[in-house]
Amino acid sequence: MSDRIFGVFGVLLAIGFAIAALQIEESFLSDAVGPKAFPLIIAAILGLSSAVIALKPDAAPHWPSLARLAELAAAAVVMLLYARLLPELGFVFATALAAAYLSWRLGNAVLMAIATGIGTSVGIYVIFHLVLGLSLARGPFGF
């Protein structure tokens, strides 16, 4: 029963995501694909996979323990905080903090998680901003 509820919720979420994607206004300078393509692809994948889950549920689903659900909720809160703090902290700092926390919760030692967060943040910044020239959120230090 829980798989069916999860599947139906996913289908409804995909529909909402597709409706939101269709609201994106296209500039006359956009490329041939346009800004709607990627969100619509994600909505289609989410909708199809959720429909499969709803139509073919697991006979005996295994739910994680309460402690594991709390860790999943904490990870979701970190991602919400990441989105909220991105404009204030900038891409480099916000990404470093979020990646370090998530790396730590995935089992890395604290110092290794910090190194992973910094490496991930700086690596993505170099590739997307410096190499590809994409605009990323600027923090208090201009990067």
Side-chain angles (χ1 to χ4, degrees), residues 64-73 105:
S65 66
L66 188 57
R68 181 62 71 183
L69 286 174
E71 284 200 32
L72 292 171
R105 294 315 309 146

Side-chain angles (χ1 to χ4, degrees), residues 25-105:
E25 292 186 25
E26 294 188 34
S27 168
F28 68 93
L29 294 174
S30 66
D31 59 6
V33 176
K36 297 178 184 180
F38 185 71
L40 288 174
I41 291 169
I42 298 297
I45 292 170
L46 175 62
L48 289 173
S49 59
S50 296
V52 169
I53 291 171
L55 296 174
K56 295 185 80 176
D58 189 5
H62 173 72
W63 280 87
S65 66
L66 188 57
R68 181 62 71 183
L69 286 174
E71 284 200 32
L72 292 171
V77 167
V78 165
M79 296 310 297
L80 290 172
L81 285 173
Y82 173 71
R84 173 65 184 97
L85 294 175
L86 193 61
E88 283 86 22
L89 295 179
F91 178 81
V92 174
F93 290 119
T95 302
L97 291 172
Y101 174 80
L102 294 173
S103 177
W104 173 62
R105 294 315 309 146

